[in-house]
DNA sequence: GGCTGACAATTAGCCTCCTAACTGTTTTGG
DNA sequence: CCAAAACAGTTAGGAGGCTAATTGTCAGCC
């Protein structure tokens, strides 16, 4: 389920040592990078376990969240749709929101439909489009699953104080902005005054 | 290549709002969790792109690193083996170090061998075991690839000051410890005095 | 009205991961 | 000494990603 990542991260002294051989290796950058991926992987694995216990994958869960947002007004808030805006319904809109290809979304909807959580319905106006809807069974699943999922997340982050969470998010957002700036740019090229 | 993750994270006010409906939802915890996974995913994608440009996957790269560590003394430091300890050689040891199943390692070695980067050799003592070795071609690849890879990582983390990197790592380690404590424990159960 | 291009969804085929079952080898123990 | 357990590696089959190609539908333009 998670990325392949070495089980044990290199110790910092080792990175310092290695940096003498590799001038391009920035020890503190590498340490931060490895810890970021490793921690995320661990957190992901925990949350994935609670999903797997309910026979659902992360990808499918994302689709259910997006669909649920359209049914439950309160859910809309959670997903960022300001004021009860109906969520995505078509495979294309779902794929866009979930950041996967349409082909992948077809596959996800296939299995969700097979398991009875969602239902495809043809669009009466545009016959190219389908409309995907959560079934009562799918609704029931979400309502049964979410509280535990939220507790799981709270448990993972419970080790950080409010101030630490704030700091963590601030630093992560900085990195996100950097990756966004780097995207589509060659690896070694200078960033456009991103700081 | 990365996890499926919603393209846009929910705004913080939305989480606050949603927490009124879901008492189990801890807004700051959820925000930190989502940002962690999202940022890691972005960073992963950047590094994965430089790998993909050389026709290598993350999983295969990990195997090459582990094998390289056994050949290059300086590499050993990088990987955390204190003093030129020979790295893992058998598929089982590689699988253990890379945190994947043996079956997966078989597949990774298959493709690496097909591409000429590694070579399987039967163990003369224990005929159950194989010994996997980096070929000269594999060595050459690593030496050509690593500097750019290191620059790529340095670029991603370049947006953070040294102090910020230190803070980020400290917070991530705290979360890692929490996930380690949570592993094997039910989701809602109390942690053993973890903080 | 009827091409032509754009678009929605799917299909086909590949990759990497997984689990479970299998093959062959070594170790153990009556 | 040989059957059974343990172990290394592989194979088989599934899931979820991807890209590229296909099919069906709509929209624009002559």
């Amino acid at each position: 389920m998670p990325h392949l990542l070495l089980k044990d991260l290199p110790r910092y002294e080792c990175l310092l040592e290695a940096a003498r051989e590799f001038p391009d290796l920035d020890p503190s950058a590498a340490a931060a990078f490895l810890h970021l991926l490793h921690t995320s992987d661990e957190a992901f694995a925990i949350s994935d376990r609670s999903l797997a216990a309910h026979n659902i994958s992360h990808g499918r869960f994302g689709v259910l969240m997006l669909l649920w947002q359209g049914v439950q007004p309160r859910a809309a808030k959670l997903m960022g749709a300001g004021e009860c805006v109906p969520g995505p319904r078509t495979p294309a809109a779902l794929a866009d929101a979930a950041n996967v290809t349409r082909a992948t979304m077809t596959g996800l909807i296939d299995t969700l439909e097979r398991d009875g959580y969602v239902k495809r319905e043809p669009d009466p106006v545009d016959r190219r489009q389908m409309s995907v809807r959560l079934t009562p069974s799918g609704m029931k699943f979400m309502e049964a699953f979410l509280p535990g999922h939220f507790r799981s997340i709270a448990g993972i982050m419970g080790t950080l104080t409010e101030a630490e969470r704030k700091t963590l998010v601030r630093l992560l957002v900085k990195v996100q902005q950097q990756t966004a700036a780097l995207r589509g740019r060659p690896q070694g090229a200078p960033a456009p005054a991103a700081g």
Side-chain angles (χ1 to χ4, degrees), chain A residues 81-150:
Chain A
E83 289 303 329
C84 301
V85 174
R89 297 305 186 107
T90 67
L94 287 166
D96 187 55
N99 221 14
V100 296
T101 61
R102 293 181 185 184
T104 296
M105 188 50 66
T106 295
L108 290 171
I109 295 170
D110 278 350
T111 68
L112 285 170
E113 191 168 29
R114 183 200 60 197
D115 293 354
Y117 291 142
V118 309
K119 197 162 161 18
R120 281 185 175 93
E121 283 162 357
D123 185 309
V125 179
D126 188 336
R127 270 183 300 178
R128 290 174 302 182
Q129 293 188 10
M130 301 295 287
S131 186
V132 184
R133 226 170 27 77
L134 217 54
T135 62
S137 163
M139 290 265 303
K140 210 161 129 185
F141 167 77
M142 289 302 272
E143 273 157 18
F145 174 74
L146 280 178
H149 183 62
F150 290 146

Side-chain angles (χ1 to χ4, degrees), chain A residues 33-194:
Chain A
F33 179 82
L34 291 172
H35 273 100
L36 173 60
L37 264 59
H38 192 250
T39 307
S40 165
D41 236 34
E42 298 276 325
F44 177 84
I46 297 265
S47 125
D48 202 60
R49 248 197 332 159
S50 69
L51 283 161
H54 291 77
N55 276 321
I56 210 91
S57 78
H58 229 81
R60 283 156 50 152
F61 176 67
V63 177
L64 290 179
M65 280 297 275
L66 287 167
L67 288 174
W68 192 56
Q69 149 188 6
V71 204
Q72 290 286 81
R74 57 188 187 181
K77 316 261 188 175
L78 216 173
M79 298 304 290
E83 289 303 329
C84 301
V85 174
R89 297 305 186 107
T90 67
L94 287 166
D96 187 55
N99 221 14
V100 296
T101 61
R102 293 181 185 184
T104 296
M105 188 50 66
T106 295
L108 290 171
I109 295 170
D110 278 350
T111 68
L112 285 170
E113 191 168 29
R114 183 200 60 197
D115 293 354
Y117 291 142
V118 309
K119 197 162 161 18
R120 281 185 175 93
E121 283 162 357
D123 185 309
V125 179
D126 188 336
R127 270 183 300 178
R128 290 174 302 182
Q129 293 188 10
M130 301 295 287
S131 186
V132 184
R133 226 170 27 77
L134 217 54
T135 62
S137 163
M139 290 265 303
K140 210 161 129 185
F141 167 77
M142 289 302 272
E143 273 157 18
F145 174 74
L146 280 178
H149 183 62
F150 290 146
R151 277 197 302 278
S152 174
I153 290 173
I156 293 168
M157 291 299 161
T159 190
L160 299 183
T161 67
E162 285 293 329
E164 284 174 332
R165 296 176 197 185
K166 212 167 193 167
T167 304
L168 178 60
V169 169
R170 184 177 61 81
L171 296 176
L172 290 173
V173 166
K174 270 188 98 164
V175 175
Q176 269 170 53
Q177 288 167 347
Q178 181 74 351
T179 58
L182 250 48
R183 204 178 321 164
R185 201 174 309 284
Q187 271 72 40

